[in-house]
Amino acid sequence: MEAPSALNLSGEQSVAKGVLKSYYEPGLFEAEGNVKEKFSVIDTETNWNDEVMSIGVVVADSITLKEIDALYYIIDPEYKVGGMYANALRFGEKGVCVTSRKQALKEIKQWLEKYSVQKLFAYNACFDKKHLPEYSEYEWYDIMRLAAYRQYNRAIPDSADCYKTGRLKWGYGVENVLRMLSGNNRYTETHNAVLDAKDELQIMQLLEHRISEYDIALISDRKAPVKRIRERENAVEGEINKKII
């Protein structure tokens, strides 16, 4: 028997075709035929065998960076293996769906297509991209590429220990960065896939960068020489420093 589809987590109501577009999602159309671009933030949690046991996905508006919708899947049977954060799976989470990896990825892809999403963002995105090779056709961007650098994260204190490139030497995980940006020292990362995806979107919101500024965070499948990567980073960061000065 096929597992049921995951429920939407945003509380949106479905409407019949022909109803005014603005009823369902105000601002979706700036003008007839001009659909606002959307992006997605995705997070995965793995079991003791390094297999994906849960996936959380959030869709947001590329202009406002505000959340539009979210999905949460627990992968069966992988979750049964257990893992470091198995206690954070939250089977009672609103809209959770427990199903196979194949079915979950199929439904998530259909859902992303509904929103015309082409860009996937994640914190330490190389990890999530590696664990979701089925989504290699999407453009993957690493939020950490901006959040961990002084040039892009003005919340990093002057006393912070950074490399010459501007990157923090330590303390640049989701929990530390979100505490830094929000000023909430009580914040604790849940390691629940959908809640973490929402937190990572919040990091993007607090950084206040346009989506286009994440172009430097695009993960390429082709491995460029380290020297060229560093030269590119230094060139981009040099331009940012000029703007700051």
Side-chain angles (χ1 to χ4, degrees), residues 47 62 101 151 186 188 191 203 232:
N47 62 20
S62 293
R101 177 188 176 103
Q151 294 90 334
R186 294 184 178 181
T188 302
H191 293 287
I203 288 176
R232 179 169 175 261

Side-chain angles (χ1 to χ4, degrees), residues 94-113:
K94 181 182 177 182
V96 65
C97 180
V98 182
T99 188
S100 68
R101 177 188 176 103
K102 182 177 180 180
Q103 184 65 22
L105 294 179
K106 175 184 176 181
E107 293 183 9
I108 292 172
K109 187 171 184 179
Q110 291 173 340
W111 182 74
L112 292 173
E113 288 174 350

